[in-house]
């Protein structure tokens, strides 16, 4: 009897473990060297005070910065975002205060996955700006994951608008 109960419990456990959803494999797709080294570079904020702006605004950054958009499940800065990055570097050069880099995601994936992906996107932008001579200590990063959507329609174009990094000055 005990043997039968142990066997049944083991089979149910294996079945449940086998149904776990794996995270997407991002190996080789991204342009930063150490995406996991982010401790000490983040800030905590109240995310309930963000995301109340117009969903028709394709540039959700402020203070003269332009948003950087990403592909699905990707955190590499694409060549078509080079103009936006160059513009952001010019604005960062003239900024007197700290710069906040906010990573955002679409609604696909778990909360934990999207939080990590948003942080990796923010780090990619920060590293790119720092590579152009801006002091990294002037920049802070935050990830909103999927909680700061600028568009809530169920369409590909809407999902694309949510896969972004916004840049603002810390006030």
């Amino acid at each position: 009897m005990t043997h039968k109960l142990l066997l049944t419990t083991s089979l149910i456990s294996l079945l449940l473990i086998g149904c776990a959803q794996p995270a997407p494999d991002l190996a080789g797709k991204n342009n930063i060297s150490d995406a996991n080294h982010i401790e000490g570079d983040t800030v905590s904020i109240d995310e309930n005070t963000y995301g109340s702006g117009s969903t028709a605004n394709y540039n959700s950054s402020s203070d003269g910065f332009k948003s950087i958009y990403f592909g699905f499940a990707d955190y590499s800065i694409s060549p078509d975002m080079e103009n936006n990055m160059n513009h952001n570097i010019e604005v960062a050069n003239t900024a007197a205060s700290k710069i906040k880099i906010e990573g955002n995601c679409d609604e696909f994936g778990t909360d934990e996955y999207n939080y990590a992906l948003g942080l990796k996107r923010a780090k990619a932008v920060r590293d790119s700006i720092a590579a152009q001579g801006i002091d990294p200590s002037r920049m802070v990063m935050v990830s909103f994951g999927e909680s700061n959507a600028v568009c809530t329609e169920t369409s590909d174009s809407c999902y694309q608008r949510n896969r972004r990094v916004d840049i603002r000055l810390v006030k």
Side-chain angles (χ1 to χ4, degrees):
M1 180 71 174
T2 310
H3 185 262
K4 198 177 211 184
L5 181 62
L6 182 63
L7 181 62
T8 304
T9 305
S10 297
L11 287 175
I12 290 173
S13 297
L14 285 174
L15 178 65
L16 291 176
I17 290 171
C19 294
Q21 180 183 14
D25 180 17
L26 298 176
K29 287 180 59 177
N30 298 291
N31 64 349
I32 59 177
S33 60
D34 188 8
N36 294 321
H37 183 70
I38 54 178
E39 66 275 348
D41 294 329
T42 61
V43 295
S44 296
I45 63 171
D46 179 11
E47 68 184 23
N48 295 323
T49 62
Y50 290 89
S52 58
S54 169
T55 58
N57 186 0
Y58 280 85
N59 181 35
S60 50
S61 290
S62 62
D63 304 308
F65 291 102
K66 293 185 178 181
S67 297
I68 305 300
Y69 295 92
F70 295 84
F72 179 75
D74 195 12
Y75 57 93
S76 61
I77 300 171
S78 64
D80 62 334
M81 287 288 111
E82 283 183 31
N83 287 339
N84 284 12
M85 283 302 302
N86 290 334
H87 173 82
N88 290 339
I89 291 164
E90 289 176 20
V91 174
N93 274 323
T94 62
S97 62
K98 283 195 168 201
I99 301 163
K100 181 168 54 170
I101 303 170
E102 305 172 345
N104 297 279
C105 300
D106 58 27
E107 63 186 46
F108 298 103
T110 64
D111 289 342
E112 294 82 7
Y113 174 80
N114 283 333
Y115 176 78
L117 181 58
L119 208 49
K120 288 177 182 181
R121 287 175 175 166
K123 185 175 183 331
V125 170
R126 187 207 54 187
D127 289 350
S128 180
I129 293 172
Q132 299 303 314
I134 307 299
D135 183 3
S137 69
R138 289 185 51 216
M139 296 179 267
V140 293
M141 298 183 307
V142 64
S143 175
F144 290 111
E146 64 190 70
S147 68
N148 193 22
V150 294
C151 184
T152 56
E153 300 167 15
T154 54
S155 67
D156 288 342
S157 63
C158 181
Y159 299 138
Q160 289 172 342
R161 289 173 52 198
N162 290 329
R163 295 189 289 261
R164 71 191 190 285
V165 163
D166 293 329
I167 307 173
R168 308 175 194 291
L169 293 178
V170 175
K171 304 207 178 187

